[in-house]
Amino acid sequence: MAAAGVASRRVSEQLIAAGRVQVNGTIVKEPGRRIDPDNDLVAVDGQAVQLDTSRRYVMLNKPVGVVSSLSDERGRPDLRRFTREFEERLFNVGRLDAETSGLLILTNDGELAHVLAHPSFGVMKTYIAKVEGRMSAQTVAKLLAGFDLDDGPIHADKARVLPGSSATESLVEITLHSGRNRIVRRMLAAVGHPVVELVRRQFGPLHLGTLQSGATRELSKAELGELLTLSRTGAEQTAAADRATTAAAATTTPAGGAGGSAEEDE
């Protein structure tokens, strides 16, 4: 814990003695217990701790005009201008389209990136959109109630009109967990308010704050703890769902039949 930067060795021992440290979900109170940092999960006060100091987690305020890729075949500005300043090979968690600015996570933690981008996990994301026209309370209610798009039903988890709107444009805050392509733009266009500008302000527990466009910063220990806790919870939920699916498929396979894998049956 001290090597991971959680606290000094003495404070770490005090945290352990106070029963505030868990290893693989079990409280430990004996200092000096050996663990495998590659496989054991450590948490302090319920917040996950990253013991692998080779992992890096960076917040980027992606500017408009930059594609969410480390190499663009069309030669457009990409994320390499931001990742090249770090010694580690970083990649982005999820994507923002070129016309959308805001919070993007860069990391070399593949497991975290996979879980946070997994569509079934549905991490919450909050956007501020400047849209055409004056949005009514009825339209906000429609965003919350949901409607059908070409690729299926959709609804916002939260939506509200912000101060600063005018007769010709509105500022709208919208939160949703869907990861579908350009979903915010498509939703707002579908209710008659095409997007003029769009910025992602929040990704899960992370807030963009005052980070300037084109700037990066490493996550704080508190932010990293919240993000890792979210990731581990999602990984556990995904694993449990996969086990349930496999078990259900096994019970429905006819006795003595060839019975393909769950993926093939699906």
Side-chain angles (χ1 to χ4, degrees):
M1 287 171 56
V6 176
S8 68
R9 183 179 182 87
R10 181 172 182 178
V11 172
S12 294
E13 291 175 348
Q14 292 172 348
L15 292 172
I16 293 170
R20 297 170 60 185
V21 177
Q22 293 179 314
V23 177
N24 299 325
T26 302
I27 294 175
V28 295
K29 291 189 176 182
E30 62 276 12
R33 172 175 170 174
R34 291 188 174 276
I35 63 169
D36 180 356
D38 292 330
N39 296 297
D40 291 328
L41 302 180
V42 175
V44 177
D45 293 334
Q47 291 293 316
V49 174
Q50 177 58 276
L51 301 179
D52 186 349
T53 56
S54 70
R55 300 299 187 187
R56 177 158 285 188
Y57 307 86
V58 175
M59 181 188 297
L60 164 68
N61 186 347
K62 186 191 83 66
V64 170
V66 175
V67 297
S68 296
S69 169
L70 295 174
S71 179
D72 183 62
E73 59 185 16
R74 294 163 55 185
R76 294 173 295 177
D78 57 41
L79 297 175
R80 285 176 294 179
R81 64 175 63 185
F82 307 107
T83 60
R84 66 167 60 107
E85 62 184 272
F86 299 98
E87 180 179 348
E88 298 85 356
R89 183 178 180 274
L90 305 183
F91 47 88
N92 48 298
V93 177
R95 302 171 65 87
L96 291 174
D97 65 54
E99 296 79 24
T100 300
S101 63
L103 199 162
L104 197 63
I105 301 170
L106 305 174
T107 186
N108 59 348
D109 187 337
E111 183 177 351
L112 176 138
H114 172 73
V115 171
L116 294 184
H118 198 289
S120 67
F121 182 45
V123 62
M124 290 292 185
K125 310 171 191 73
T126 298
Y127 300 81
I128 304 295
K130 179 188 288 187
V131 301
E132 296 179 10
R134 189 167 184 83
M135 184 175 289
S136 67
Q138 290 78 12
T139 301
V140 172
K142 182 175 181 179
L143 288 170
L144 293 169
F147 48 89
D148 289 329
L149 294 175
D150 291 342
D151 55 352
I154 188 66
H155 74 277
D157 294 279
K158 298 178 182 178
R160 64 185 179 121
V161 177
L162 298 174
S165 300
S166 68
T168 58
E169 293 181 330
S170 299
L171 289 177
V172 181
E173 182 182 79
I174 183 167
T175 299
L176 68 167
H177 62 270
S178 172
R180 285 145 62 179
N181 187 43
R182 298 174 69 89
I183 188 63
V184 176
R185 292 179 182 274
R186 293 192 288 129
M187 288 178 69
L188 293 171
V191 296
H193 294 279
V195 169
V196 178
E197 296 177 14
L198 184 63
V199 56
R200 183 160 72 189
R201 297 291 308 174
Q202 184 175 349
F203 185 99
L206 304 182
H207 297 261
L208 194 60
T210 59
L211 188 66
Q212 296 296 306
S213 178
T216 61
R217 69 168 177 82
E218 297 201 43
L219 300 188
S220 68
K221 293 294 182 185
E223 289 174 327
L224 179 55
E226 290 182 302
L227 195 66
L228 289 173
T229 301
L230 187 67
S231 172
R232 289 179 185 177
T233 300
E236 292 169 358
Q237 291 173 347
T238 301
D242 289 344
R243 288 194 296 270
T245 300
T246 301
T251 58
T252 56
T253 301
S261 68
E263 290 77 11
E264 291 171 340
D265 289 341
E266 194 173 343

